[in-house]
Amino acid sequence: MSTMHVDIVSAEGEIYSGEAEQVVAPARMGDVGIKPRHAALLTALRPGEVRVQLPNEGEELFFYVTGGILEVQPHVVTVLADSALHGDQLDEEAADKARQAAEAAMAGATEKSDIAEAQEQLIEARARFRAAQKLKGKR
Amino acid sequence: MAGAKEIRTKIGSVKNTQKITKAMEMVAASKMRRTQQRMAEAKPYAQKIRGVIGHLFQANPDYRHPFLEEREVKRVGYIVITSDRGLCGGLNVNVFRKLLADLRGWNEKGVETDLCLIGAKGVQFFRRLKVNVVGAASHLGEDPHLAELLGAIQVMLDAYSEGKVDRVFLVHNEFVNTMTQSPTIDTLLPVEPLDKDELTEYWDYIYEPDATELLDIVLMRYIESQVYRGTVENVACEMAAKMVAMKAATDNAGKMIDQLQLDYNKARQAAITQELSEIVSGAAAV
């Protein structure tokens, strides 16, 4: 049986590279199964599982992707996996955060120093410790 | 013997400093190897996505995406990547110098500029200057993740889509080799299309949902991957520059110790000679 080459890459590194008999990916319009010599296809992925069936005795590998793009050429399948969650709301939130960081930084004194950060962590750790102690007492 | 004692204390303190710089050098060297590897890992994604864009562009020549369109320049945006920490030689200063020259150039043409700063050093530097900063992200550490950069990227993409800026540049250090890092300014938007010669035969994808929507996603991911690669490369540069700077500091400390040791020996010898001559003259008097 013929095989095809599968690459799963994300911006932060290569995840998998090897031969496969079949790939099943969660495309935006529904799961797609790709066999060797599939027509060239380009589709967006939704969060889900990419299944890669290896040539020997139907062994399967599973990869979770948070989204991305699937590119299919007759003998090469490439999954360009996202390394971060995307979504209009999430993206906008992140952008707002960056804008606020800029304002805070330009205002001067409010920029987080290492000490301020350490103190914050200390306060959080203390609060957690206290909460844990309370729980212990109840039991 | 007072002079000799002071020199001895001084030698001790320089030796301690040397130990610290030596340790920092070794830490930077080991981190550099890791960051270089991360840099290499980011490459395949960028290449693959670049290929897909090239193809999409060839197959749909009539579709004009705003990210691909050259506009008249009235305002430009810069995404500036700097390190979070100092003690890495002239790494950040070189970037600032190059960037400031560029900003002055735009200023003379009457073009306004927006900056988006990634890295604490950039934030510190531009706080003192009268520049328009629209976004910032700092304290990403040695292992930056794309998720932490998204906000800063999104700010610029939004500004570009809304027509607030007409061009976006990415400023970072390029890793040439361990000894050399050169500041570079790349055009991020509009995306430069690939050469037409690269397409040898015509074929097209089946698109799902449709080509324009996919092009949108692909272009976004491409820009994100470019900024991520720049950030990772800058970290590798930081480590290399730090290693070199700390090596120089260690060598200088060594030279200083040699010189001080010489001074110490001289001072000790002088003290002995003086004592001897006192004894001799004392004996002569009796």
Side-chain angles (χ1 to χ4, degrees):
Chain A
M1 187 138 173
S2 64
T3 60
M4 58 195 166
H5 191 79
V6 180
D7 285 314
I8 304 181
V9 290
S10 81
E12 291 177 7
E14 195 166 74
I15 297 166
Y16 174 78
S17 175
E19 295 295 315
E21 244 171 38
Q22 181 180 277
V23 176
V24 180
R28 185 134 334 146
M29 321 277 282
D31 283 12
V32 288
I34 312 287
K35 291 256 185 191
R37 286 190 287 173
H38 192 286
L41 168 78
L42 192 71
T43 179
L45 297 179
R46 60 188 160 76
E49 208 173 48
V50 175
R51 298 208 303 271
V52 178
Q53 210 170 73
L54 300 182
N56 42 353
E57 288 153 34
E59 201 184 319
E60 261 191 342
L61 296 173
F62 298 90
F63 301 95
Y64 179 77
V65 293
T66 54
I69 299 149
L70 175 75
E71 191 220 6
V72 181
Q73 282 179 33
H75 291 285
V76 187
V77 175
T78 312
V79 180
L80 298 161
D82 288 347
S83 24
L85 270 174
H86 277 278
D88 288 347
Q89 246 182 337
L90 276 175
D91 287 354
E92 225 18 74
E93 256 171 49
D96 279 342
K97 216 182 243 175
R99 282 190 200 108
Q100 280 161 14
E103 275 168 32
M106 289 308 120
T110 43
E111 208 232 338
K112 250 193 192 177
S113 69
D114 287 345
I115 295 172
E117 212 167 316
Q119 272 170 343
E120 219 165 76
Q121 278 174 5
L122 183 68
I123 290 166
E124 197 191 313
R126 255 195 215 139
R128 276 190 190 194
F129 181 68
R130 236 176 281 140
Q133 293 251 302
K134 262 185 200 164
L135 279 176
K136 228 180 176 183
K138 267 186 195 165
R139 264 181 219 164
Chain B
M1 277 301 261
K5 189 159 185 278
E6 269 159 31
I7 292 171
R8 215 162 50 205
T9 334
K10 180 106 190 175
I11 289 176
S13 94
V14 175
K15 265 187 183 155
N16 282 339
T17 311
Q18 192 188 27
K19 265 183 214 151
I20 294 168
T21 55
K22 183 86 196 158
M24 284 175 91
E25 181 197 333
M26 287 192 297
V27 169
S30 85
K31 276 182 183 164
M32 188 186 70
R33 238 165 283 139
R34 248 183 300 151
T35 49
Q36 256 176 300
Q37 193 190 341
R38 214 166 285 134
M39 203 170 88
E41 279 173 358
K43 218 169 226 168
Y45 183 86
Q47 273 170 351
K48 292 250 158 69
I49 214 156
R50 179 86 230 194
V52 172
I53 290 179
H55 192 88
L56 273 172
F57 201 52
Q58 304 284 333
N60 304 277
D62 42 323
Y63 174 64
R64 308 298 304 170
H65 192 277
F67 283 1
L68 298 166
E69 217 157 328
E70 194 89 29
R71 293 195 297 229
E72 197 198 336
V73 178
K74 287 192 220 71
R75 198 180 181 94
V76 293
Y78 281 90
I79 297 181
V80 185
I81 303 172
T82 52
S83 73
D84 275 337
R85 287 157 198 270
L87 290 182
C88 47
L91 191 76
N92 292 317
V93 179
N94 288 341
V95 168
F96 295 144
R97 197 175 298 146
K98 184 152 183 153
L99 178 60
L100 285 177
D102 233 40
L103 292 181
R104 207 169 297 131
W106 287 117
N107 204 14
E108 278 162 16
K109 281 187 222 158
V111 175
E112 285 180 276
T113 46
D114 278 343
L115 297 185
C116 185
L117 307 170
I118 296 174
K121 284 283 157 193
V123 174
Q124 277 169 22
F125 181 78
F126 284 104
R127 187 188 299 154
R128 289 181 282 125
L129 299 172
K130 286 219 183 315
V131 287
N132 194 12
V133 178
V134 293
S138 54
H139 300 288
L140 301 177
E142 282 124 25
D143 188 7
H145 287 287
L146 189 59
E148 296 159 308
L149 299 169
L150 279 184
I153 302 167
Q154 195 66 33
V155 169
M156 272 300 160
L157 288 182
D158 281 355
Y160 188 85
S161 306
E162 288 162 18
K164 280 186 199 154
V165 296
D166 305 300
R167 208 174 271 188
V168 179
F169 297 97
L170 179 69
V171 189
H172 69 101
N173 273 293
E174 192 190 343
F175 191 94
V176 182
N177 55 44
T178 318
M179 301 303 286
T180 352
Q181 297 87 34
S182 64
T184 48
I185 298 179
D186 297 329
T187 309
L188 209 55
L189 286 170
V191 176
E192 289 159 37
L194 289 174
D195 291 336
K196 287 260 187 281
D197 315 332
E198 281 182 40
L199 191 73
T200 46
E201 54 181 318
Y202 186 85
W203 56 275
D204 201 1
Y205 291 111
I206 303 169
Y207 298 102
E208 219 178 301
D210 58 62
T212 54
E213 208 172 306
L214 280 168
L215 189 56
D216 237 32
I217 301 172
V218 174
L219 282 172
M220 290 274 257
R221 295 294 178 277
Y222 174 67
I223 288 155
E224 280 164 16
S225 82
Q226 289 289 299
V227 178
Y228 175 76
R229 192 192 49 99
T231 312
V232 175
E233 192 166 359
N234 202 64
V235 174
C237 288
E238 183 194 342
M239 290 309 154
K242 187 169 278 176
M243 191 184 83
V244 173
M246 286 302 118
K247 185 166 173 40
T250 310
D251 292 350
N252 282 344
K255 267 184 218 154
M256 216 162 151
I257 288 169
D258 287 348
Q259 185 57 46
L260 284 170
Q261 190 70 51
L262 208 63
D263 290 348
Y264 169 71
N265 289 347
K266 271 184 197 157
R268 194 189 56 170
Q269 201 54 54
I272 291 170
T273 315
Q274 196 189 346
E275 234 171 87
L276 265 178
S277 70
E278 273 166 17
I279 292 167
V280 169
S281 61
V286 172

